Amino acid sequence: MQKKIAVIGGGIVGATASYYLARAGHSVSVFDSGNGQATAAAAGIICPWLSRRRNKKWYRLVSEGAAFYDKLLADLASDGLKTDAYARCGALILGQSADYLQEVHHRALERREQAPLIGSVAILKGSELQKAFPPLVNVEQALFVGGGARVDGRELTKTLLKATTLYGGSIHKETVSLAKDNDGTLSVLTQDGPPQRFDAVILAAGAWLPQLLQPLGYTVDVRGQKGQLVVLEQNEGNDPQNYPVIMPQGEIDLLPFGHGKTIVGASHENDKGYDLQPDASVTDPMLEQARTWIPDLKEAAIADIRVGTRAYTSDFSPFFGNVPGLQNCFAASGLGSSGLTSGPLIGYLLAELAQGKESSLPTEDYPLAAYVKPTCR
């Protein structure tokens, strides 16, 4: 049976959910203000298997999230929408010591038994490293992980929303709010039109989930974190599209894309939350560090500085599921800096829930009720 479903938030979670819902034959309306969205400002590395984080439930989510890209890209391709926003190009992990690289190498080999997507793993030196990434300098050795990938969140989201419209979905660039009836059903309130009723509502607003739910009497354990990255453009004669991504120790990553584009970033600024202004005092040191490894970037032009707001919970754990006290309302948030890794899978799982299906990952492992709590009855 066709359902009328609202998706609030058009980032990677909401765009994936809307795509799969529209693809399944439902009537989908996506609402997004276009202001500060994390995915629109994001590009990231999909290589979750090397994390030291001990949370097994989180690791399962990001590991399966990395694998989900195969299905997502195959489904888009079958719908005639191929994209170069994602590529499994391999990753080079830089370390300050040989001991660190050996430790990560050992971890990768151990985890590859359960996650074969990790692919080939090897410590590269000398000519091998030079062959893998010719412009890289001042690096004696690095760990290569063949399954590492890079993704431009902005471009992938555009593709997913386009796919949604191909299946009849509608995209609305506006800020909305929610109203709750006595029976717990929701209406979506737009700025101009009358309240709209839907059979199900998905809240994929990321760091803005508190602004949606607090007026309805909920406390939401989600805070915003500012992230900035820099998009550089070089002459296409020196096109870096076939190079692996670079993961140094610390926050800054380097992502070579096609057509002369390299992305540097992103920052993690807890104290600036929802501020969306570019800040050269943050981006300039990022660029300086990138240029010490890739001197060719000194000649690259700054094409864009992207600024967005990530969503974090107090214990850095993501959540998704049904919002308590609301009929057929589902939400997700708290993905943090792993949003591009786990976001598509979470969007797919929310689409399953909105259709009355069971989630293929147990929602009790990522309990929404631990972070979204009613404050009034």
Side-chain angles (χ1 to χ4, degrees):
M1 182 180 70
Q2 185 191 59
K3 291 185 176 182
K4 184 182 177 184
I5 301 175
V7 178
I8 301 178
I12 193 65
V13 173
T16 306
S18 65
Y19 167 53
Y20 279 105
L21 287 167
R23 199 171 191 259
H26 300 289
S27 175
V28 180
S29 298
V30 182
F31 300 92
D32 190 294
S33 69
N35 182 40
Q37 180 195 105
T39 309
I45 294 174
I46 310 300
C47 190
W49 314 284
L50 311 180
S51 174
R52 289 179 172 178
R53 193 168 174 178
R54 296 182 181 275
N55 186 323
K56 293 182 179 179
K57 295 172 182 177
W58 175 86
Y59 177 76
R60 179 185 178 187
L61 178 65
V62 295
S63 182
E64 294 196 18
F68 180 76
Y69 269 93
D70 284 343
K71 171 178 171 55
L72 179 64
L73 273 293
D75 287 341
L76 286 170
S78 72
D79 291 333
L81 290 167
K82 294 185 178 181
T83 176
D84 60 1
Y86 171 92
R88 193 167 292 147
C89 53
L92 283 174
I93 289 82
L94 311 186
Q96 297 174 354
S97 70
D99 288 344
Y100 171 78
L101 290 181
Q102 288 291 347
E103 175 195 334
V104 180
H105 184 211
H106 178 70
R107 190 183 313 136
L109 292 177
E110 278 190 332
R111 292 182 175 176
R112 189 171 63 179
E113 295 180 10
Q114 299 297 322
L117 190 62
I118 290 175
S120 59
V121 180
I123 293 178
L124 305 183
K125 303 177 183 179
S127 60
E128 288 183 319
L129 182 56
Q130 184 71 17
K131 183 179 179 182
F133 204 122
L136 187 66
V137 301
N138 299 320
V139 177
E140 294 183 359
Q141 58 182 325
L143 176 67
F144 177 76
V145 179
R150 49 93 173 145
V151 60
D152 186 327
R154 175 180 293 181
E155 295 305 315
L156 180 57
T157 299
K158 286 181 181 178
T159 302
L160 289 165
L161 293 176
K162 180 180 179 180
T164 299
T165 62
L166 290 179
Y167 279 105
S170 58
I171 314 298
H172 308 272
K173 188 175 180 180
E174 59 182 311
T175 300
V176 299
S177 58
L178 301 173
K180 180 176 69 171
D181 293 336
N182 292 333
D183 61 358
T185 58
L186 284 180
S187 295
V188 176
L189 308 178
T190 61
Q191 293 178 338
D192 299 321
Q196 299 182 48
R197 287 286 195 94
F198 293 86
D199 298 311
V201 177
I202 289 177
L203 307 181
W208 281 265
L209 185 63
Q211 285 86 329
L212 281 171
L213 287 178
Q214 284 172 355
L216 301 183
Y218 291 84
T219 59
V220 182
D221 178 9
V222 168
R223 61 177 171 84
Q225 182 192 71
K226 183 178 181 178
Q228 301 182 69
L229 57 78
V230 182
V231 182
L232 300 175
E233 286 187 354
Q234 297 170 268
N235 187 303
E236 287 196 39
N238 186 21
D239 197 340
Q241 64 178 331
N242 295 318
Y243 296 160
V245 295
I246 295 178
M247 300 174 65
Q249 285 183 270
E251 293 185 349
I252 301 171
D253 296 324
L254 288 84
L255 292 80
F257 284 80
H259 311 296
K261 182 172 75 173
T262 298
I263 293 181
V264 180
S267 66
H268 295 71
E269 303 167 61
N270 293 330
D271 57 330
K272 295 186 180 178
Y274 295 84
D275 174 30
L276 298 175
Q277 294 302 310
D279 184 350
S281 70
V282 174
T283 57
D284 284 353
M286 288 164 46
L287 288 174
E288 183 179 353
Q289 183 64 73
R291 289 162 179 160
T292 64
W293 290 310
I294 309 176
D296 288 353
L297 294 179
K298 294 177 182 178
E299 307 302 320
I302 296 177
D304 192 14
I305 297 177
R306 303 182 187 176
V307 185
T309 303
R310 303 184 192 91
Y312 274 93
T313 58
S314 57
D315 64 358
F316 304 99
S317 296
F319 61 83
F320 68 93
N322 181 251
V323 180
L326 298 180
Q327 294 293 324
N328 296 318
C329 180
F330 310 91
S333 191
L335 280 63
S337 55
S338 64
L340 286 177
T341 301
S342 60
L345 175 59
I346 290 177
Y348 178 79
L349 298 176
L350 288 177
E352 288 187 319
L353 293 173
Q355 295 176 88
K357 301 177 182 179
E358 288 190 13
S359 167
S360 53
L361 278 182
T363 56
E364 60 267 24
D365 286 348
Y366 315 95
L368 180 145
Y371 305 93
V372 178
K373 300 179 180 180
T375 54
C376 60
R377 299 294 179 183

